[in-house]
Amino acid sequence: YAQAVLYCREQGLVRGTADHTFSPDRSMTRGMVSTVLARLAGADTAGGETWYAKGTVWAVENGISDGTAPEQPVTREQLAAMLYRYAQHEGYDVSIGEDTNILSYADAFTVSEYAVSALQWACGAGIISGTGDGSTFSPDTVCQRGQIVTFLYRAANAAA
């Protein structure tokens, strides 16, 4: 994920958790992801009531998130849905996943209905893959910072 961290930092999308520290194994919240996506879209996220307030408002106004639970960790299926909605918002072709069969994942039937199309797109585009030995998706597992920047990096390269 080192290249992904450098890319996201250079783009001004993420910052470290301290000077010279990224903390790839720490979780990210829904508000953090909303703010990162707002920055990716070029929105000004500075000066809100909280550090994530403007990013969350942007995400709600643009249909990326419903804005609930901004301080809660984001799960893999929530992240996939947010990335999918962001891609749609930006006019990216998300049809690549329409025929992607996610039933090969042992836990495919535990994916929430709202996230199925998003996961099909993310898996089909090579943005998100399975966990462990690759046989599960782990939709309810909390995403870590290293995973999220990797997914963002892959999404940026898929859109290019």
Side-chain angles (χ1 to χ4, degrees):
Y1 56 81
Q3 190 172 6
V5 171
L6 289 174
Y7 169 81
C8 289
R9 190 186 71 171
E10 289 170 358
Q11 299 298 312
L13 305 178
V14 297
R15 297 180 179 95
T17 55
D19 288 342
H20 309 292
T21 304
F22 181 71
S23 304
D25 296 329
R26 287 180 55 184
S27 63
M28 283 184 82
T29 66
R30 292 168 48 94
M32 288 177 180
V33 174
S34 292
T35 300
V36 167
L37 293 176
R39 290 176 184 158
L40 185 60
D44 179 12
T45 61
E49 182 179 312
T50 61
W51 65 267
Y52 58 80
K54 282 190 167 183
T56 300
V57 168
W58 177 89
V60 170
E61 288 174 350
N62 290 283
I64 310 300
S65 173
D66 62 6
T68 59
E71 295 182 1
Q72 293 298 310
V74 68
T75 65
R76 288 173 55 86
E77 71 178 4
Q78 290 168 348
L79 178 67
M82 292 173 82
L83 289 174
Y84 181 70
R85 292 176 194 139
Y86 176 83
Q88 289 176 313
H89 174 266
E90 293 296 307
Y92 299 150
D93 181 8
V94 295
S95 65
I96 191 167
E98 291 175 356
D99 295 325
T100 300
N101 182 358
I102 62 171
L103 294 178
S104 62
Y105 294 106
D107 55 358
F109 289 104
T110 66
V111 172
S112 299
E113 187 175 335
Y114 77 86
V116 170
S117 294
L119 287 174
Q120 288 175 306
W121 164 75
C123 290
I127 296 167
I128 295 177
S129 57
T131 57
D133 64 0
S135 66
T136 57
F137 183 73
S138 306
D140 293 331
T141 300
V142 171
C143 268
Q144 298 168 330
R145 291 170 54 89
Q147 293 172 325
I148 292 172
V149 296
T150 300
F151 299 156
L152 286 169
Y153 179 71
R154 290 176 184 163
N157 287 320

